[in-house]
Amino acid sequence: QVQLVESGGGLVQPGGSLRLSCAASGNIFSINAMGWYRQAPGKERELVAFIGSRGTINYADSVKGRFTISRDNVKKTVYLQMDMLKPEDTAVYYCGMGRYGLDYWGKGTLVTVSL
């Protein structure tokens, strides 16, 4: 079993930055793919950023140029640097990890972008 714990959420003003982190523990040997989803109130869950097992990176169009995903393969930790935040980025952000896809999930961390 794999446990994921996110951190770094909070309240930030529009145009500000936050850095989310997600650390894995447990049976992490096979973890290669990592990513972040988000879900805003009343909206469907949206894939924000993903790093595949071979290092391919994908971003949602809504965050391209503003968000950067990175990872530490040794520590099995994934990060999401979020810059130029907008009110529409307000959501609960969930990290996911797995061998090829996102099979395991954290409980989420709330990001609120507001004045």
Side-chain angles (χ1 to χ4, degrees), residues 73-107:
N73 283 330
V74 174
K75 294 182 179 180
K76 299 301 183 185
T77 300
V78 63
Y79 306 95
L80 186 67
Q81 176 67 40
M82 306 185 293
D83 299 315
M84 295 181 286
L85 283 160
K86 304 175 181 180
E88 51 263 44
D89 295 318
T90 295
V92 177
Y93 285 71
Y94 301 89
C95 78
M97 297 188 188
R99 185 167 186 174
Y100 300 114
L102 304 182
D103 305 313
Y104 305 100
W105 293 96
K107 293 184 178 181

Side-chain angles (χ1 to χ4, degrees), residues 20 22 32-39 45-53 55-71 78-83 89 92-98 100-102 104-105:
L20 305 183
C22 176
N32 290 304
M34 303 179 183
W36 292 90
Y37 272 88
R38 68 184 179 187
Q39 188 163 22
R45 190 172 59 177
E46 172 189 26
L47 179 63
V48 175
F50 176 78
I51 298 182
S53 58
T56 302
I57 293 177
N58 296 103
Y59 294 100
D61 288 342
S62 57
V63 306
K64 283 181 181 177
R66 301 187 298 120
F67 290 11
T68 304
I69 189 171
S70 60
R71 67 182 177 186
V78 63
Y79 306 95
L80 186 67
Q81 176 67 40
M82 306 185 293
D83 299 315
D89 295 318
V92 177
Y93 285 71
Y94 301 89
C95 78
M97 297 188 188
Y100 300 114
L102 304 182
Y104 305 100
W105 293 96

